[in-house]
Amino acid sequence: MDHAIATAGGTAPAPADAERDAPPPAPAPVPVRMPDHRSADPPTLLTAHGCWYPSANPTGEHVAFICDRSGVPQLWSGPARGDGAHVLDGDPDPVTEVSWSPDGRWIAYTSAPGGGEHTRVLVVRPDGTGRQVLAGAEPGSSAHLGCWTRDGTALAVTVAQPSASGSEHTGAGHLPADADGAPAAPGAKAPGAAWSERGGPATLLGAATANRAPAPDPAASAHTAAGRPVRDIGPVRSGGLAAYLVDPDGANAPVLLYGEEGAASLRVCDTSPDGRFALVRRGPRGRREALVLDTASGRTTFALHVADGDPWIGRFSADARTVWLRSDTDREFAALLKVRLDEEGAGRAVSVEIERDGSALDLLSVPDHGRWALLAWNVHGASELESIGLPLADEESGVGPRHRPVLPHEVVTRIAPLERGGLFAALAGSRRRPGIWELDQGLVPARAGWSARDEDAVPPGRPPVRPVPLRCRARDGLTLGGWYYRAPGRDPGRPAPCVIHLHGGPEEQERPVFSPLYHELLGRGLDVFAPDVRGSSGWGRSFVDADLGDGRFAAIDDVADCAAHVVALGYADPVRLGVMGRSYGGYLTMASLVWHPDLFRAGVAVCGMSDFATFFAGTEPWIAQSATAKYGHPEHDRELLRALSPMSRVDQLRAPVLAVHGEHDTNVPPTESEQFVRAARERGVQARQLTLRNEGHEFLRADNRRLYRRAAADWLERHLGPTPPP
């Protein structure tokens, strides 16, 4: 395939002088050959393990997947029918994504060295030979998977420009042991200086962001989404994102498809069968858009707003005249959209093919031939899987018969279609570990032999608890949802100590899947209520946008309202309430403890932001760019962000707090926990920090996950138990 360089930002090619003055994109990746792994599987394998993220070879006879049987998520492969799975990469670096090439010769995957956020993309032969790093091997760089070309000769990868200081992260990282509690480590840039060159307008915040304009012209510029401008907030401190096509055989040099300085996200989701067009997802959270690129000229021929969530937002039809998209443009819930393209890739018409009232399209998967699509719908947190026929010719319209299999577990997390029909699905449920199931052409599910059995979800003696859905009303009238877990053996008429657990995102959603953390807390006699406060996904775009700007104060109040609701129901003891959460949930935990200091008796804040100024100064550039669209601009919205920061009210803290952080977290640097704990201690409040080694923002190693949940349960049991300390 012949490809030309695409212009930064996705607009039409600029004049030659402007192109010469433009900043260079992230450099092309340099593949690095790695030693082959021929060693035996790890000697100690966990019976209660998880398998997820399946990707089948072209015949559907073998599946590559992620499995944590050895204690860390690694790349495995096994037969579709049988139990002879084996490790393909025995390195201890956690694996996060997997993709088998269409020609069957390579398996691509993303791993996270040290468990951190600087990931790299590798490929390996199905027999375990030929392992090499395709992108992300350079110091300070990061990379993640895009799609394969339809013939399997090249893999799209996105690479991040290394920071100006090379392999060193530009943020504060950790406070030195003798620090005086200042918001940044010595030598770190002050937030104002770090963002001094950001001259663009602030991202639109508050109620106005929920306004819906008329549908856009399909041929609109790449900077228009759902009729609204995707606001240019200026370049981040350094770096950018660029997407390349890389030949794993090394016969061809990497080819730049698209580059963008200061990008928040970038992923190549598909290329047309003839290679003329590429489908790219880009933009910050809440402002994602799909671009159709002409690969020969680099010109953006079509752009449309698409939904957050799963990054694989769509695919081209076999004739490249249709794009199928998962989009919530001009609607509350994501639906299946059909975009008709002309010969030049410009949009002729956009239509909604399938939508559901009150339910969002979570996952969309289409095989290469494009004769059918697989859809997973989010129904109040649970999943419904659907198979539909797709029209092939330009004159055909409408989708074909719809088939809905009965699933053995509540949630679908990944769909891998087979060309011959049928699929592999990663399923999770409230009473099992994540597993992979094959659905044949009749969509009858059968568990893969190497997935853990349901009865092996936990050690014998105490089965998992199935949660019940709860709805409650916030003080401003907004309806909130969530799931309540009752500790086994609890007298139903007796209020119990209860932990309010807050998910991350904030656009994540609480779903009825088995949580070892909840299982640990329930085993200590603590109930768990896991709500979706405003800003969560699964309840419509207006609900997601309800926490923007000063709406975040209402999200903090939502936590208190959820606690009050379970107390009013008689479930929770009002004097034995705890709060905990991870990432954004960690922020909400700290915020709840200082905004509602007399409500909670203890808190556990995990990888949370304690001060937005230091967070923006210390996080990764592309994360900062995306976070700006959600939280506010670190300069233009400085006063709002200061008011929303838990550190601004830390003098109100009363409850003991445990902070937990991964040492390699460059998403939310450990400084955020360290400064909050230090400030608490200075004010005489009991506070401790647990730093997990070889972990980043996600805790991926079995020993660290076990240490984390036991430390959290010990802390909460101590302070919420039958006779909590005064």
Side-chain angles (χ1 to χ4, degrees):
M1 267 188 300
D2 293 329
H3 297 276
I5 294 177
T7 56
T11 56
D17 290 343
E19 287 184 354
R20 285 195 295 267
D21 294 337
V30 179
V32 176
R33 185 67 182 266
M34 304 287 287
D36 293 337
H37 276 270
R38 296 182 178 276
S39 59
D41 291 342
T44 302
L45 298 178
L46 303 175
T47 300
H49 62 271
C51 298
W52 62 94
Y53 218 104
S55 183
N57 71 345
T59 66
E61 296 174 353
H62 290 82
V63 186
F65 56 96
I66 300 173
C67 185
D68 62 359
R69 286 188 70 183
S70 62
V72 62
Q74 293 177 313
L75 177 66
W76 287 60
S77 178
R81 298 172 183 85
D83 56 5
H86 60 281
V87 174
L88 280 178
D89 186 339
D91 279 356
D93 298 330
V95 172
T96 58
E97 293 182 299
V98 180
S99 180
W100 208 312
S101 67
D103 60 7
R105 298 187 307 117
W106 292 100
I107 300 171
Y109 57 108
T110 303
S111 74
E117 271 47 67
H118 284 236
T119 56
R120 59 186 185 177
V121 174
L122 300 93
V123 291
V124 67
R125 300 281 190 187
D127 63 358
T129 63
R131 192 170 66 113
Q132 57 181 308
V133 180
L134 285 191
E138 300 81 5
S141 68
S142 188
H144 61 252
L145 275 176
C147 67
W148 288 94
T149 56
R150 296 294 183 97
D151 60 5
T153 59
L155 176 72
V157 297
T158 296
V159 296
Q161 176 76 47
S163 61
S165 56
S167 61
E168 294 296 322
H169 180 59
T170 57
H174 293 272
L175 289 173
D178 57 352
D180 60 1
K189 294 182 180 180
W195 293 80
S196 60
E197 297 180 359
R198 295 175 63 101
T203 302
L204 188 62
L205 295 176
T209 42
N211 292 341
R212 300 289 178 255
D217 180 349
S221 126
H223 289 280
T224 301
R228 296 167 294 144
V230 178
R231 299 205 170 207
D232 181 4
I233 57 175
V236 290
R237 291 161 292 162
S238 64
L241 299 177
Y244 288 87
L245 284 178
V246 182
D247 176 6
D249 292 311
N252 300 297
V255 176
L256 177 64
L257 277 179
Y258 185 90
E260 183 175 356
E261 185 187 15
S265 68
L266 184 64
R267 188 183 295 253
V268 182
C269 296
D270 196 18
T271 59
S272 61
D274 58 6
R276 287 187 58 203
F277 302 109
L279 177 63
V280 174
R281 173 188 178 266
R282 49 100 40 214
R285 292 150 56 179
R287 304 292 182 267
R288 310 288 192 195
E289 61 180 345
L291 308 181
V292 175
L293 301 180
D294 183 320
T295 57
S297 67
R299 182 173 59 92
T300 298
T301 62
F302 177 80
L304 187 72
H305 174 89
V306 291
D308 280 343
D310 186 67
W312 304 99
I313 46 92
R315 294 210 78 188
F316 289 105
S317 63
D319 62 0
R321 301 297 295 274
T322 299
V323 178
W324 299 98
L325 291 175
R326 184 182 63 85
S327 172
D328 59 359
T329 185
D330 299 316
R331 56 192 21 83
E332 280 291 316
F333 295 93
L336 177 63
L337 268 60
K338 176 182 179 181
V339 180
R340 297 299 297 157
L341 305 177
D342 63 18
E343 289 286 350
E344 303 304 317
R348 290 169 40 197
V350 179
S351 60
V352 178
E353 292 299 300
I354 298 179
E355 63 181 332
R356 289 195 184 186
D357 185 24
S359 299
L361 181 58
D362 256 355
L363 303 172
L364 167 64
S365 191
V366 182
D368 284 353
H369 55 61
R371 294 195 296 270
W372 57 75
L374 300 167
L375 318 175
W377 297 91
N378 183 330
V379 184
H380 298 159
S383 296
E384 290 186 6
L385 187 62
E386 184 174 40
S387 173
I388 62 168
L390 297 178
L392 296 178
D394 189 21
E395 63 273 14
E396 292 185 83
S397 62
V399 298
R402 302 165 69 170
H403 304 282
R404 298 174 183 172
V406 176
L407 299 176
H409 299 291
E410 290 100 322
V411 178
V412 180
T413 63
R414 187 77 185 159
I415 308 171
L418 301 177
E419 293 288 301
R420 57 174 166 77
L423 68 142
F424 289 94
L427 303 181
S430 59
R431 302 173 68 86
R432 66 154 293 112
R433 300 273 178 161
I436 295 174
W437 293 65
E438 182 181 7
L439 280 74
D440 60 19
Q441 296 184 23
L443 299 184
V444 177
R447 181 180 57 85
W450 23 263
S451 281
R453 301 177 303 169
D454 292 356
E455 53 267 33
D456 294 328
V458 296
R462 183 164 52 86
V465 171
R466 187 184 298 276
V468 296
L470 279 188
R471 302 290 180 265
C472 62
R473 190 171 298 277
R475 62 192 64 185
D476 62 359
L478 186 66
T479 299
L480 312 174
W483 299 86
Y484 198 91
Y485 297 76
R486 191 73 166 168
R490 174 76 61 199
D491 181 353
R494 184 178 180 183
C498 180
V499 178
I500 308 297
H501 185 276
L502 306 165
H503 62 66
E507 305 93 335
E508 293 177 15
Q509 181 186 13
E510 190 66 35
R511 310 193 72 167
V513 298
F514 174 72
S515 166
L517 171 64
Y518 296 174
H519 190 71
E520 183 79 31
L521 295 173
L522 294 165
R524 308 293 185 96
L526 306 175
D527 285 7
V528 176
F529 180 40
D532 288 323
V533 301
R534 69 192 68 204
S536 305
S537 62
W539 305 96
R541 283 182 67 183
S542 295
F543 194 89
V544 171
D545 289 345
D547 68 342
L548 296 182
D550 56 10
R552 200 159 310 282
F553 292 110
I556 298 170
D557 286 338
D558 286 348
V559 182
D561 295 341
C562 288
H565 182 70
V566 292
V567 168
L569 291 175
Y571 295 171
D573 185 339
V575 299
R576 290 190 290 170
L577 290 171
V579 61
M580 73 173 297
R582 195 194 68 80
S583 191
Y584 177 75
Y587 158 77
L588 271 187
T589 295
M590 289 185 277
S592 299
L593 292 173
V594 299
W595 259 271
H596 302 282
D598 298 321
L599 180 60
F600 297 105
R601 191 171 285 274
V604 179
V606 185
C607 300
M609 304 93 73
S610 61
D611 189 305
F612 279 110
T614 53
F615 162 71
F616 274 110
T619 189
E620 299 286 358
W622 61 92
I623 294 174
Q625 184 78 12
S626 193
T628 299
K630 190 65 183 176
Y631 303 125
H633 194 287
E635 283 295 332
H636 302 145
D637 303 308
R638 183 187 301 180
E639 293 305 316
L640 172 64
L641 293 177
R642 180 182 292 119
L644 285 166
S645 296
M647 287 295 292
S648 69
R649 295 175 57 93
V650 72
D651 59 323
Q652 299 296 310
L653 182 66
R654 302 288 184 270
V657 61
L658 170 67
V660 185
H661 228 110
E663 67 168 338
H664 299 314
D665 189 350
T666 57
N667 183 327
V668 178
T671 341
E672 296 300 303
S673 287
E674 293 165 10
Q675 63 193 7
F676 193 78
V677 167
R678 185 157 297 181
R681 289 176 172 175
E682 289 173 353
R683 288 157 177 80
V685 178
Q686 185 180 358
R688 294 184 61 189
Q689 179 164 343
L690 170 64
T691 299
L692 297 177
R693 305 302 177 190
N694 293 315
E695 298 286 6
H697 195 58
E698 304 281 349
F699 304 155
L700 300 175
R701 303 177 190 278
D703 53 347
N704 280 330
R705 294 199 304 270
R706 188 180 306 111
L707 174 62
Y708 153 57
R709 62 179 180 260
R710 289 180 177 174
D714 287 345
W715 184 266
L716 292 167
E717 183 182 25
R718 174 186 175 189
H719 293 285
L720 305 181
T723 55

